[in-house]
Amino acid sequence: MREALRVVAAGAGATIQDAGRRGYMRFGISGSGAMDLDLLALANALVGNPGDTAAIEIAMLGPTLVCEADRCRVALAGAPFVLGLNGQRLDAYTACDLRRGDRLTLGAPREGMRAYLAVSGGFALAPMLGSLSTHTRSRLGGLDGTALRAGDRLPLLDPAPAAQPLTLPAHHRPRFGGPIRVVLGPQADSFTEAGLRTFLTEPYTLTARADRMGCHLDGPAIAHADGFNIVSDGIVNGSIQVPGHGRPLILLADRHTTGGYPKIATVISADLGRLAQVRPGEAIRFEAVSVEAAQAIAREARQAVSRRLAAMIPAGGGSLDSAFLLACNLIGGVVSAEPHETAP
């Protein structure tokens, strides 16, 4: 039987996600993929994987996993989930070797919403349309197209890396929070000046209707200029629609591919990960930036990931070996690529 991680308790909606299913939105198929590609790349770097390797995306309450391999290296990046190995606390952003029978538990995070658990070598699962990403509504990808369930076995490709475990020092780890920056449009002229002002000056609260498909927000109604229906057009990651009730709806990784409500703005690609860490009940504010500013922020975000990759050190001391440096080069190529079908 292939070596695997066995799911003892599923947590809340954990799924297998990689960099996404690219090139199929024209056929109505969602791109899916990790809600935060930068965190996915960091988690993978810690275990020596290329940055787009599929990992477990965890939201709010993590799973409990048992190692059914002689050795398996894992690392968690993202929100500070309570992480334990056989009852002993572990540090996030630090790779750890599991042995056969070891039990890894992930509780709830102290703050934030999502994290990524990467496994050395990745999972031995068959890609669907070029990706392992799970889209639960269409049952594509992952393990049977569903969120993880108790009793699932996640088969491992190559669970025993030779290089030393790595850690990202605390002062290099990402921080969350701050306003969500947007580029106005593409249908900003569908709203009154007062409506645009409301959108940019008032706080909005994330409701319980928030998942990988989209964020429903509660707050002051945004006034449309002339109705709320348009001819359906394309939806990118971070599109902010305003239906007839006047409250924003932000479309995310598992979004539908077209929509007929006017889009007041688009979340910039660099802030999609920040948005993915907002919990239901928390308030967010929007800040408008130009396309040029959004592009500059995206470049800086990619440079920040590269700096974090360069800052990783062996968890037990020592120097980085050539195998890890090669992995960093591969990962750097992934995170430096231009965003695909996302906001500016």
Side-chain angles (χ1 to χ4, degrees):
M1 182 178 293
R2 182 181 284 274
E3 295 181 320
L5 288 178
R6 177 166 52 87
V7 181
V8 176
T15 57
I16 302 295
Q17 301 293 338
D18 56 22
R21 190 165 283 108
R22 303 186 177 191
Y24 293 96
M25 290 187 68
R26 75 190 93 170
F27 305 116
I29 297 172
S30 174
S32 299
M35 295 275 277
D36 190 327
L37 293 172
D38 292 349
L39 288 178
L40 175 70
L42 291 177
N44 275 312
L46 288 164
V47 297
N49 293 341
D52 58 352
T53 303
I56 302 175
E57 182 179 270
I58 301 161
M60 282 307 294
L61 180 65
T64 297
L65 307 168
V66 169
C67 180
E68 294 184 347
D70 291 336
R71 186 157 69 98
C72 171
R73 182 166 296 172
V74 299
L76 185 75
F81 281 77
V82 177
L83 180 65
L85 174 61
N86 300 329
Q88 300 296 314
R89 289 289 296 272
L90 293 179
D91 188 22
Y93 293 99
T94 301
C96 172
D97 286 342
L98 309 183
R99 306 289 179 174
R100 189 175 297 274
D102 282 347
R103 178 178 291 245
L104 187 72
T105 58
L106 292 101
R110 297 186 300 276
E111 59 181 347
M113 176 80 172
R114 289 182 172 85
Y116 295 85
L117 184 72
V119 180
S120 54
F123 298 108
L125 298 171
M128 298 187 70
L129 301 178
S131 172
L132 295 186
S133 287
T134 309
H135 187 265
T136 58
R137 285 176 171 81
S138 57
R139 308 240 353 180
L140 280 177
L143 196 67
D144 301 323
T146 66
L148 299 189
R149 298 163 296 191
D152 284 344
R153 295 183 78 254
L154 301 174
L156 304 175
L157 273 175
D158 185 15
Q164 64 268 56
L166 298 171
T167 186
L168 180 62
H171 60 282
H172 287 289
R173 297 174 187 180
R175 294 187 176 96
F176 311 120
I180 302 299
R181 292 164 292 189
V182 301
V183 171
L184 292 177
Q187 286 98 30
D189 57 354
S190 294
F191 303 90
T192 66
E193 288 188 13
L196 289 169
R197 188 164 54 251
T198 297
F199 173 68
L200 293 173
T201 59
E202 298 293 334
Y204 286 87
T205 302
L206 187 65
T207 73
R209 295 182 62 195
D211 58 17
R212 284 180 44 83
M213 184 174 179
C215 294
H216 293 258
L217 303 179
D218 194 14
I222 297 168
H224 295 85
D226 186 22
F228 57 87
N229 285 309
I230 62 171
V231 175
S232 292
D233 62 2
I235 300 288
V236 300
N237 199 355
S239 289
I240 305 178
Q241 293 182 325
V242 183
H245 52 60
R247 292 169 182 83
L249 166 61
I250 310 177
L251 282 305
L252 299 172
D254 282 359
R255 67 200 178 277
H256 44 276
T257 58
T258 63
Y261 296 127
K263 294 173 285 296
I264 193 169
T266 306
V267 177
I268 68 172
S269 60
D271 282 3
L272 289 170
R274 181 186 300 177
L275 181 62
Q277 297 296 343
V278 179
R279 300 183 187 217
E282 292 182 344
I284 62 175
R285 289 182 178 270
F286 297 103
E287 176 185 320
V289 299
S290 67
V291 171
E292 293 76 16
Q295 292 169 340
I297 294 167
R299 288 191 293 269
E300 168 56 28
R302 292 195 293 274
Q303 292 166 4
V305 174
S306 296
R307 289 193 295 269
R308 291 185 176 110
L309 293 173
M312 290 182 182
I313 59 175
S319 60
L320 299 182
D321 60 24
S322 58
F324 170 69
L325 294 175
L326 175 60
C328 278
N329 288 333
L330 292 172
I331 296 163
V334 172
V335 299
S336 65
E338 290 297 321
H340 178 84
E341 294 178 322
T342 61

